[in-house]
Amino acid sequence: MTSKLFNRSKSNASKPMRSKVLPTLSKKKLGNLVPRRGNKVAPIIGSALLKAAGWRTVGEIPNIPQAVVLALPHTSNVDGIYAIPSLFALDLKISIMGKHTLFKIPGVAQLMHWIGVIPIDRSNKGSVLQASIDKFKTGKPLFLGLAPEGTRQYTKDWKSGFYYLAVGAGVPILPVAMDYKTKEIRFMSLVYPSGDIDADLPKIYAQYQGVMPRHPERLSQPLQDINNSID
């Protein structure tokens, strides 16, 4: 299955138009404050898988211990096949939120912790935001990954929880793009939320201009609008 997906990726763009400005990222370029997985084998495997798929990771990851990381655009389950090896290759730990009930299954809790899943009780939406803020307030290194589109299908608006999480926790927002046109996972410029979401969201949208998802027809409306502004 994986090999077929890799072959499909190559056939779609055998000679992708690479970014000429952004440098290629590597494990050695990560600063000492950035959350690490601390695994010696995973970077080797991740790098090999990325190379086989014809993808690369570019941009810059600032040397900070905490951030809300945006994963966009997310239009297919296949996205993870390229995103996860890129994180392994960098030895970068980006945590995600998962149902707390998963951690009650024998043997699953250890796997969830290793992957970087944070148990969250989603039965109370208000408590999810506060629980996430509390995770940052511990002061421990934490890059928390979120997909503000909230779905792999078309959506008119982004969910705003990521923004208020960053404001409440006092941490910056790190936009990351998955561009099928260039076959790059792209780490972009930090956005420090001011508390004025209407002023800050356009700064985030602008960084995704020209980014091509696996399924362009599913691209969220804010990113469609920013792409249409090119014309």
Side-chain angles (χ1 to χ4, degrees):
M1 177 67 176
T2 301
S3 61
K4 291 181 179 179
L5 290 170
F6 283 176
N7 289 336
R8 178 178 175 181
S9 176
K10 291 179 179 179
S11 63
N12 284 345
S14 58
K15 293 183 179 180
M17 185 181 296
R18 300 296 199 187
S19 297
K20 296 181 180 180
V21 178
L22 299 176
T24 300
L25 266 171
S26 68
K27 176 183 174 182
K28 295 180 180 179
K29 293 183 179 180
L30 264 62
N32 63 310
L33 299 180
V34 175
R36 299 290 195 107
R37 302 195 65 84
N39 188 292
K40 295 182 179 180
V41 178
I44 298 173
I45 296 175
S47 295
L49 290 174
L50 272 186
K51 184 176 181 180
W55 281 67
R56 69 173 186 165
T57 308
V58 301
E60 182 179 357
I61 299 176
N63 190 25
I64 56 176
Q66 295 185 332
V68 170
V69 180
L70 302 188
L72 292 155
H74 183 32
T75 64
S76 170
N77 284 327
V78 175
D79 296 343
I81 292 179
Y82 308 120
I84 293 175
S86 73
L87 300 183
F88 283 177
L90 295 173
D91 192 35
L92 176 63
K93 185 176 182 180
I94 295 183
S95 299
I96 58 175
M97 295 185 293
K99 294 181 179 179
H100 70 292
T101 52
L102 293 173
F103 290 76
K104 297 180 180 180
I105 303 174
V108 175
Q110 292 84 350
L111 176 62
M112 294 293 100
H113 282 300
W114 183 80
I115 294 174
V117 179
I118 298 174
I120 293 291
D121 184 354
R122 297 180 183 274
S123 60
N124 187 325
K125 292 185 178 180
S127 67
V128 172
L129 176 60
Q130 188 57 52
S132 301
I133 291 174
D134 291 343
K135 290 293 182 181
F136 282 105
K137 294 299 184 181
T138 65
K140 296 179 180 179
L142 176 62
F143 276 17
L144 183 60
L146 298 172
E149 291 161 319
T151 175
R152 291 180 295 278
Q153 302 299 321
Y154 166 82
T155 182
K156 183 178 180 181
D157 299 298
W158 289 6
K159 294 181 179 297
S160 59
F162 79 91
Y163 183 84
Y164 294 108
L165 168 56
V167 171
V171 299
I173 297 168
L174 177 58
V176 180
M178 173 166 280
D179 193 342
Y180 279 80
K181 179 174 62 179
T182 60
K183 297 176 76 171
E184 293 173 338
I185 290 94
R186 193 175 306 147
F187 285 78
M188 301 182 292
S189 301
L190 284 178
V191 173
Y192 287 87
S194 65
D196 184 346
I197 189 171
D198 293 328
D200 292 340
L201 279 182
K203 300 174 185 177
I204 298 173
Y205 296 155
Q207 298 197 53
Y208 289 91
Q209 190 173 62
V211 171
M212 180 69 69
R214 183 174 177 85
H215 297 293
E217 71 280 4
R218 299 179 185 176
L219 194 65
S220 61
Q221 193 61 51
L223 298 189
Q224 287 191 33
D225 292 342
I226 199 66
N227 284 336
N228 290 337
S229 70
I230 298 176
D231 301 330

